Amino acid sequence: MTATTTVAAYAAPAAKAPLERATVERRAVGEHDVLIDIAFVGICHSDIHQVRAGWGEAIFPMVPGHEIAGVVSAVGPGATRFGVGDRVGVGCMVDTCRECDDCRAGLEQYCAEGPVWTYNSVGRDGQPTLGGYSERIVVDENYVVCIPDGLALDVAAPLLCAGITTYSPLRHWNAGPGKRVAVIGLGGLGHMAVQLAHALGAEVTVLSQSLRKKDDGLRLGADHYCATSDPATFEKAAGRYDLVLNTVSAPLDFAAYLSLLRTDGTMVNLGLPEERVEIALQALSGRRRSLSSSGIGGIAETQEMLDFCAEHRVAAEIETIRADEINEAYERVLRSDVRYRFVIDTATL
Ligand code: NAP
Ligand code: ZN
Ligand code: ZN
């Protein structure tokens, strides 16, 4: 394809404005590009933070969407990794410098120049990037991954962000047999963290605001399920965990959650609240605890995660929606009323 194409999309015209039907231009398929017909795209809480400009200035109109699953419909002359008809995914980044130490180490998400994000970012061609709430997207093949046959496209889409964002820290901090992992928040990221930590062999506890979703948590693979609204949860579990993954989108009482770590345990913050947070460092020094964070995962690691999910029969639990239900779905995510990822059927765009 040598010309740009106009495709249907859903876009936010301005910060905090509802999303509405729109059209966007996709660039011509370049030498190393693939054109993807998007089938499904997940709604990540990061979409909501950015549509509301909650993380700072943002680029509008914004087409969110970085949990993209679809089928290749054209490839550039120099593209060798994919062919027409391949089932593929695109996550949070669509380009990086490819030369820095992190890019060379497969840690593209930490690229020294900063990745080109799938939307709300500026591409190396100087154009704003537009995400997956759209019919088609053109992406350099090096930032595209293969969706294994065993995974349906709708339940695979959320793996491209929620899956890799939880898989990467679980692997980095060696979640596995003999390790106790706690997951704070049973939402999009949380329900993937529970399934992945369980599949890796760890003992898993969900720390949720209430016991409302207990049956689901246990079915997804949790060994224990506790309500954080109950102060006894913190008394009983003090010093218990090797690893605590925090997936909550709002600030928490860090001292309370850090007290759950054993000596040398680590709390990894995956949630990215819009507000600044404060902690008293004594919560760390008492038992040589670590407080860290982690961003998505590299491209090769994303492929490894997808293969792991296919092998272990792990996928997202989804509620499929029409495009005209996006704004309502955002409200439900904000109320923690999601089981456990909304996925947009792009045929309804
Ligand atoms: P989500 O589906 O809304 O899940 C968050 C869960 O946190 C909720 O379901 C709820 O679970 C709990 N929660 C919400 N508000 C809370 C509060 N005020 N206090 C305590 N618990 C609360 O969101 P998500 O898509 O999983 O994303 C979560 C966060 O991760 C967002 O901030 C997002 O931007 C960030 N994120 C970061 C990365 C990264 O690379 N680091 C990647 C993707 C997303 P319960 O009802 O079970 O308590
Ligand atoms: Zn995301
Ligand atoms: Zn780089």
Side-chain angles (χ1 to χ4, degrees):
M1 224 177 54
T2 51
T4 60
T5 39
T6 305
V7 302
Y10 249 69
K16 298 195 173 80
L19 279 79
E20 54 188 41
R21 210 172 283 278
T23 56
V24 296
E25 291 293 313
R26 292 300 184 193
R27 69 171 185 251
V29 178
E31 182 75 14
H32 299 286
D33 285 342
V34 297
L35 173 68
I36 300 166
D37 289 349
I38 301 172
F40 296 98
V41 59
I43 293 179
C44 176
H45 205 119
S46 302
D47 299 347
I48 303 175
H49 288 305
Q50 290 178 88
V51 158
R52 294 152 54 108
W55 289 340
E57 247 180 76
I59 305 171
F60 294 94
M62 183 188 296
V63 176
H66 59 208
E67 293 186 333
I68 297 169
V71 177
V72 174
S73 58
V75 299
T80 55
R81 299 183 51 227
F82 299 100
V84 170
D86 285 358
R87 302 161 77 252
V88 294
V90 176
C92 299
M93 58 186 162
V94 289
D95 209 349
T96 62
C97 86
R98 311 175 194 211
E99 282 164 6
C100 71
D101 290 349
D102 285 331
C103 279
R104 287 178 192 278
L107 296 167
E108 299 93 340
Q109 74 274 30
Y110 304 130
C111 173
E113 287 186 13
V116 175
W117 303 111
T118 304
Y119 67 88
N120 192 21
S121 186
V122 177
R124 287 147 84 84
D125 57 3
Q127 296 301 310
T129 55
L130 299 163
Y133 296 8
S134 64
E135 287 175 310
R136 300 168 127 191
I137 191 168
V138 178
V139 182
D140 183 296
E141 67 168 352
N142 291 302
Y143 297 84
V144 176
V145 288
C146 167
I147 295 180
D149 284 340
L151 284 172
L153 293 180
D154 54 356
V155 295
L159 303 177
L160 276 303
C161 177
I164 186 60
T165 300
T166 49
Y167 181 82
S168 184
L170 287 167
R171 292 299 309 267
H172 183 75
W173 277 279
N174 298 313
K179 293 289 176 74
R180 288 181 180 149
V181 175
V183 177
I184 315 175
L186 194 69
L189 264 56
H191 95 292
M192 290 312 310
V194 169
Q195 296 184 76
L196 291 166
H198 174 70
L200 288 164
E203 182 186 316
V204 186
T205 301
V206 176
L207 301 172
S208 181
Q209 294 167 94
S210 72
L211 296 178
R212 215 160 36 96
K213 296 178 275 190
K214 183 174 179 180
D215 292 348
D216 289 344
L218 298 178
R219 176 173 52 75
L220 290 165
D223 301 283
H224 317 280
Y225 199 104
C226 308
T228 52
S229 51
D230 179 0
T233 292
F234 292 92
E235 283 155 32
K236 279 189 228 148
R240 183 175 164 84
Y241 301 104
D242 299 282
L243 181 63
V244 172
L245 292 190
N246 175 16
T247 75
V248 176
S249 47
L252 294 178
D253 176 354
F254 278 81
Y257 287 93
L258 286 165
S259 75
L260 303 179
L261 292 172
R262 60 187 298 173
T263 299
D264 285 331
T266 302
M267 175 168 173
V268 182
N269 287 279
L270 302 173
L272 298 170
E274 298 174 11
E275 303 85 351
R276 284 173 184 265
V277 299
E278 263 184 32
I279 64 156
L281 293 172
Q282 287 80 354
L284 299 174
S285 61
R287 295 184 77 174
R288 198 166 59 189
R289 295 168 172 130
S290 299
L291 180 63
S292 191
S293 184
S294 175
I296 49 171
I299 297 296
E301 192 178 36
T302 303
Q303 186 64 61
E304 178 189 305
M305 175 275 306
L306 287 167
D307 296 343
F308 179 91
C309 286
E311 187 188 334
H312 293 267
R313 304 197 161 279
V314 168
E317 295 219 344
I318 62 167
E319 188 173 328
T320 307
I321 62 163
R322 296 190 313 271
D324 61 9
E325 296 173 309
I326 292 172
N327 294 305
E328 188 190 326
Y330 276 23
E331 293 304 318
R332 285 185 54 194
V333 172
L334 289 167
R335 292 197 302 266
S336 301
D337 177 23
V338 50
R339 298 192 181 203
Y340 283 89
R341 202 54 141 185
F342 289 111
V343 170
I344 303 161
D345 178 353
T346 60
T348 65
L349 282 166

